[in-house]
Amino acid sequence: MKNLPILFAMTIVLGSVNAAEPYRNPVDGAVYVADWKTYIPANGVDNKKGRVVNSGIRLLNSQADFEANTTPKELAKLIGYIHEVLAQHAVQHKATGEILVQIELTKSGKPNFKMSFQGNVQRALLEKFYKSLGSIEFNTRQSTVSLQAHFVLKDA
């Protein structure tokens, strides 16, 4: 995956992966070790509509850290907005591929975004998408937490 400086938290626990499983982050190269959990929305996900599919969310801090700093509803709104922004930009491009957006939420200031991608994703799409993310305002209550949103761009 190529790195470029450049985000659906969900509400119900689907299951968990083996305890203390390492995850090598393709965005920042760091290795995270945790009891990873997968989340899905209460009403499921309809990935059949549209070109942009939310393929999953990974919390890079503990669930307790997220609970102390935000709510699942706030995170779902944030990820939903990011998904919508990407979908709007993707209409103008024929790109297919995957985009992994890393979001760092802080107590003060705007979120920080980094992104990795693979496939035939056009640079113009990535630049417009990244620029649009700069308008997002979201502050945590106590400390910094990070998460990743994985989006898939399907054929037009």
Side-chain angles (χ1 to χ4, degrees):
M1 289 190 152
K2 300 175 186 174
N3 285 326
L4 246 186
I6 290 270
L7 181 167
F8 211 63
M10 307 191 194
T11 56
I12 298 179
V13 174
L14 174 65
S16 62
V17 180
N18 296 335
E21 182 176 320
Y23 167 67
R24 178 165 296 283
N25 185 348
V27 177
D28 63 13
V31 175
Y32 297 84
V33 178
D35 294 332
W36 303 114
K37 293 178 177 40
T38 303
Y39 297 86
I40 59 169
N43 298 328
V45 178
D46 183 4
N47 281 334
K48 295 176 184 158
K49 297 179 184 173
R51 289 194 55 231
V52 178
V53 175
N54 181 332
S55 187
I57 301 301
R58 183 181 302 267
L59 304 180
L60 299 177
N61 293 89
S62 72
Q63 189 165 337
D65 288 340
F66 274 90
E67 289 171 356
N69 285 287
T70 189
T71 67
K73 188 174 184 177
E74 290 171 329
L75 286 175
K77 185 176 177 181
L78 173 66
I79 300 301
Y81 178 76
I82 291 168
H83 184 171
E84 202 174 290
V85 168
L86 179 56
Q88 289 172 359
H89 289 296
V91 168
Q92 303 167 6
H93 299 273
K94 302 286 186 225
T96 60
E98 299 178 45
I99 299 174
L100 185 62
V101 182
Q102 184 164 314
I103 308 134
E104 182 181 74
L105 304 171
T106 63
K107 186 175 178 179
S108 60
K110 293 186 175 199
N112 297 310
F113 298 95
K114 294 179 183 175
M115 188 169 69
S116 288
F117 68 96
Q118 65 181 11
N120 189 27
V121 182
Q122 298 154 337
R123 186 172 194 88
L125 168 62
L126 297 170
E127 289 172 354
K128 288 178 184 177
F129 176 50
Y130 179 72
K131 185 175 180 180
S132 295
L133 295 177
S135 67
I136 295 175
E137 295 195 20
F138 189 105
N139 295 341
T140 60
R141 291 189 282 260
Q142 297 175 3
S143 61
T144 300
V145 292
S146 298
L147 66 147
Q148 291 179 336
H150 180 202
F151 298 103
V152 176
L153 299 173
K154 301 186 297 187
D155 284 329

